[in-house]
Amino acid sequence: MSTATENRGQFGSKLGFILSAAGSAVGLGNIWKFPGKAYNCGGGAFLVIYILMVALIGTTVMLAEFTLGRKTQKNAIASFRELNAKWSWAGGLGVLTGFIILCYYCQVGGWTIKYIVGYITESATIYADPMNYFLTMLGANGFPLQGAIIYPLIFLLLTAFIISRGVAEGIEKMSKVLMPLLFILLIGLMIRACTLPGADVGLKYMLTFDASTINGNAFLVALGQAFFSLSLGMGVMITYASYLSKDDNLVSNTGIICVLDTCVALFAGFMIIPAVFATGIAPGMGGGFAFATLAGVFQAIPGGTIFGLLFYFLLFFAAVTSSTSILEGTVAFLTEEKGWERKKTLVIVSIVLFIIGIFYTFSQAGFMDIKGIWVSKNGVEFPIFGDFLEYLTDRLLLPLGAFFTTVFVGWVWGVDNAVKEATSDGKFSFALAPLWKVLLKIVAPICIIVIIIAGMVLGMSIS
């Protein structure tokens, strides 16, 4: 093992890795996208399909990324290059995708901090006109100093500070604190929502399996949500696994992480849907729903201000655990491949992604009007810059990254080599290895291509 590899960080415990990887997987999409998709695609029937997609496709791709990272003990690009130099570009695609995502992710993370402060200091103002409050933060009524500059900068500085502490002292320690808190908050909010008057209708909807709601679109939506919610296709899991030793069981770790991520999505569904049924407000997805529409839910229920405050703490925890994992992927590449000093790298990367992120917030409220990139709030003909970034990553780059990973592990490096790595050279059992080989080489690549086609050509909302 090289000196560079020896000097790399390592997770201090199995629990630390599991919580860190689960924190990366558990993001804003689990909490504000999943409930809306479950509502629109049949409730209980969608839950069954979603769990099936996670079990078959999500775990397959995640384990493939884990084997790559631990085998090479290197960042995403170096992992591909070491096993086949002609494929280093595939790792580069993942790092690039993660960087683009982080540009707008830190902005949204900043919004969660703004709303935490808002629910503490001016909840009445939020309730008076929730949409206007949200758009004002984004800059609809003037320069978005708070929404684009102050609070995103706070969020970014916090993320960078955690990364500067290293793997064990930064990422692992943060995950050991925030992930349990996230689950506690989520379970508490779910119980509160399910005990609201009228919430039983929402519970029944989520627990009733209606086969008539099952169609091709439901499968595509479930597959897309399962895939995107696990942080696959951006090199993050490759980088995290590179900090593991042969004593770690990749197969069981994959299962545990996917279960935790799925639980968060399900808990979020059982938190949001009963609440909106109880208040008569239709669930939605995205920033407008999470930061504006839900204010009506919180206002309509007893103790809603506390409920809302805890919800935005929940969003903050989900955002920061994901942002640290994505930033680590970029930093690991630059420090190991370019020889940059870690703190210098953090400063440079943070400045660049912060500047790009500012334009994301500008565009969300039509603050800037440049045809083809930004648009005014009336007569929209082109995707706004923010929508373009999300479309580029969710519909194209993420699935492409995962597709090339499955092809590389399954056909180029070799599925038998991957199984050998997954079991630590036979140290751990892997009874489902024959099934995993088929899923990795054939089923997962085909499903991912279907996601790409459905998202780009058919226009289905699967991201």
Side-chain angles (χ1 to χ4, degrees):
M1 186 176 292
S2 67
T3 301
T5 302
E6 291 172 351
N7 290 334
R8 299 179 84 248
Q10 293 285 318
F11 283 106
S13 65
K14 175 181 178 179
L15 177 63
F17 168 73
I18 288 174
L19 291 179
S20 298
S24 173
V26 172
L28 298 174
N30 294 71
I31 298 171
W32 77 29
K33 284 187 177 182
F34 180 83
K37 291 181 179 181
Y39 176 84
N40 292 323
C41 295
F46 179 80
L47 299 188
V48 174
I49 298 173
Y50 175 76
I51 293 172
L52 182 64
M53 293 299 100
V54 171
L56 293 178
I57 308 302
T59 57
T60 297
V61 179
M62 181 174 287
L63 182 56
E65 294 197 2
F66 281 169
T67 59
L68 271 179
R70 194 182 64 178
K71 172 65 178 179
T72 60
Q73 297 283 290
K74 294 181 178 179
N75 63 78
I77 295 177
S79 292
F80 279 92
R81 184 177 62 238
E82 178 164 313
L83 298 176
N84 190 308
K86 295 180 180 180
W87 278 74
S88 59
W89 57 269
L93 176 65
V95 173
L96 173 63
T97 302
F99 179 81
I100 295 174
I101 290 173
L102 193 58
C103 289
Y104 60 82
Y105 215 91
C106 283
Q107 289 288 308
V108 180
W111 303 349
T112 66
I113 299 177
K114 163 62 178 174
Y115 267 71
I116 289 172
V117 174
Y119 267 79
I120 294 174
T121 62
E122 53 181 4
S123 60
T125 303
I126 298 176
Y127 292 149
D129 192 340
M131 184 55 72
N132 181 66
Y133 187 88
F134 176 59
L135 292 177
T136 298
M137 178 189 71
L138 298 184
N141 301 314
F143 187 80
L145 183 63
Q146 296 185 0
I149 306 293
I150 296 177
Y151 288 102
L153 181 59
I154 294 172
F155 183 87
L156 178 58
L157 289 175
L158 177 60
T159 300
F161 172 75
I162 294 169
I163 292 296
S164 71
R165 301 288 295 172
V167 177
E169 292 298 313
I171 298 172
E172 184 171 350
K173 282 191 174 181
M174 172 209 64
S175 299
K176 284 183 175 180
V177 173
L178 293 190
M179 285 306 293
L181 284 176
L182 184 149
F183 272 94
I184 291 171
L185 282 177
L186 187 54
I187 293 172
L189 291 173
M190 178 182 66
I191 293 173
R192 180 69 185 92
C194 290
T195 55
L196 293 171
D200 57 311
V201 180
L203 282 172
K204 181 179 179 180
Y205 181 73
M206 290 291 284
L207 295 173
T208 300
F209 183 88
D210 183 358
S212 66
T213 63
I214 299 177
N215 52 38
N217 184 62
F219 274 94
L220 286 173
V221 171
L223 181 58
Q225 176 65 22
F227 174 75
F228 296 121
S229 71
L230 291 170
S231 291
L232 303 174
M234 66 178 82
V236 169
M237 295 304 177
I238 296 175
T239 301
Y240 268 20
S242 72
Y243 301 132
L244 295 177
S245 71
K246 291 284 187 178
D247 293 329
D248 291 284
N249 188 333
L250 296 185
V251 177
S252 65
N253 285 352
T254 298
I256 294 171
I257 292 165
C258 288
V259 167
L260 290 177
D261 180 76
T262 302
C263 284
V264 170
L266 296 179
F267 291 165
F270 282 96
M271 172 184 69
I272 297 296
I273 292 180
V276 297
F277 266 93
T279 57
I281 297 176
M285 295 174 283
F289 169 68
F291 292 99
T293 306
L294 279 180
V297 175
F298 302 142
Q299 186 178 20
I301 64 177
T305 299
I306 298 299
F307 191 91
L309 177 61
L310 294 177
F311 174 78
Y312 291 109
F313 267 113
L314 176 66
L315 282 186
F316 168 74
F317 293 162
V320 76
T321 53
S322 292
S323 66
T324 51
S325 70
I326 301 173
L327 183 56
E328 175 62 25
T330 302
V331 170
F333 160 67
L334 291 174
T335 56
E336 295 171 18
E337 296 295 301
K338 305 301 181 182
W340 292 10
E341 192 269 330
R342 190 173 179 88
K343 291 185 178 180
K344 173 186 174 182
T345 302
L346 274 172
V347 172
I348 295 175
V349 172
S350 297
I351 291 174
V352 174
L353 67 86
F354 180 66
I355 291 174
I356 298 174
I358 289 174
F359 294 111
Y360 173 80
T361 296
F362 284 175
S363 69
Q364 290 300 96
F367 185 74
M368 302 189 72
D369 188 0
I370 302 176
K371 281 191 175 182
I373 301 179
W374 291 281
V375 295
S376 62
K377 292 182 283 295
N378 299 316
V380 175
E381 297 178 355
F382 300 93
I384 60 176
F385 180 63
D387 287 347
F388 169 73
L389 288 182
E390 294 183 35
Y391 182 93
L392 178 66
T393 55
D394 291 0
R395 302 285 182 93
L396 181 62
L397 296 182
L398 279 174
L400 276 179
F403 172 77
F404 290 127
T405 297
T406 58
V407 171
F408 180 81
V409 175
W411 296 93
V412 180
W413 177 36
V415 69
D416 290 330
N417 290 325
V419 170
K420 186 178 179 181
E421 180 61 36
T423 60
S424 297
D425 298 323
K427 180 177 179 179
F428 302 106
S429 63
F430 189 10
L432 296 178
L435 174 61
W436 184 69
K437 291 180 181 181
V438 175
L439 292 172
L440 179 66
K441 296 182 69 174
I442 300 174
V443 178
I446 292 175
C447 289
I448 294 170
I449 288 298
V450 170
I451 291 177
I452 296 174
I453 294 174
M456 297 186 65
V457 180
L458 301 181
M460 293 181 180
S461 179
I462 63 174
S463 64

